[in-house]
Amino acid sequence: MIRLGVNIDHVATVRQARRTNEPDPIWAAVLAELGGADGITLHLREDRRHIQDRDLRLLRETVAVLLNLELACEPEVLQIACQVRPDQATLVPERREEITTEGGLDLLGQRERVARAVEQLRDAGIKVSLFLDPEKEHIQAAAELGVDAVELHTGGYANARGEEQQRQLHKLVLAAEEVRRLGLALHAGHGLTYRNVHPVAAIPGMEELNIGHSIVSRAIMVGMTQAVREMKQQMLLAVQHREQP
Ligand code: PXP
């Protein structure tokens, strides 16, 4: 089967636009669960531009499905993660000026830094996933660090069109094979929408997709529960196709 992790950061983005108390990402998480979310994903950024510490603590208490915290290899947020203990932590690169996470972790250049973060999180009993570009060398380096999962960055695929999109999809398929060959759990995310999710959900062994922008955008129009339900339907349809030889 396949899990849908609903990223609720953008709900907090709207709240922070007015520094008020609505819309509340805690409500959004409850409604996402009602729609069939298998996980709630949030990114506690160093600059706290959307999710706040309070959100993480309350979500830890209220979310009944898997709680997946995205974070950078920064001592301050790592310490918070170890205190709050989400079910899973996904390490991502982070730059203050970026609009969203722009690439996978640089595992070749920053190996020691990532290794220390992985060790700290695992010592706190948290499963660790690394957000990586679909490149063999990075995946192999991740396996050497003893992580539980790799989340393949689907941004290249999502942003491409036509033949280039097919090429990017092929890269994801090959990277997915490598992740599974090394015995790691296979996750993917970034830029996935109702229109482009199908081929990614159909990749053999795909266990978890983390999707935010597209679901929250649709939720503004149709409501969070319905938006999550529709995305889950798309993913399950793709899995049915995957299972037909
Ligand atoms: N996965 C990771 C690691 C991310 O950083 C993000 C964006 O916060 C997502 C998935 C979700 O991306 P999107 O909002 O484009 O669906």
Side-chain angles (χ1 to χ4, degrees), residues 7 9-10 43 70 90 92 100-101 131 151 189-192 210-214:
N7 182 315
D9 291 350
H10 280 5
H43 186 173
E70 294 175 1
T90 301
V92 299
T100 178
T101 315
F131 186 52
E151 178 172 334
H190 212 283
L192 295 177
N210 287 298
I211 310 180
H213 182 85
S214 190

Side-chain angles (χ1 to χ4, degrees), residues 134-198:
E135 304 288 346
K136 218 172 179 178
E137 317 82 74
H138 290 246
I139 295 162
Q140 285 167 354
E144 285 166 18
L145 294 184
V147 298
D148 301 279
V150 164
E151 178 172 334
L152 295 177
H153 190 332
T154 50
Y157 158 79
N159 293 331
R161 293 291 169 268
E163 270 181 31
E164 176 57 18
Q165 190 163 46
Q166 287 313 306
R167 215 179 60 78
Q168 292 289 338
L169 180 62
H170 187 59
K171 260 182 102 168
L172 286 171
V173 170
L174 294 181
E177 278 171 14
E178 187 65 8
V179 171
R180 292 177 69 205
R181 190 183 70 79
L182 294 166
L184 305 176
L186 175 63
H187 304 172
H190 212 283
L192 295 177
T193 69
Y194 294 80
R195 290 191 175 83
N196 69 19
V197 73
H198 200 286

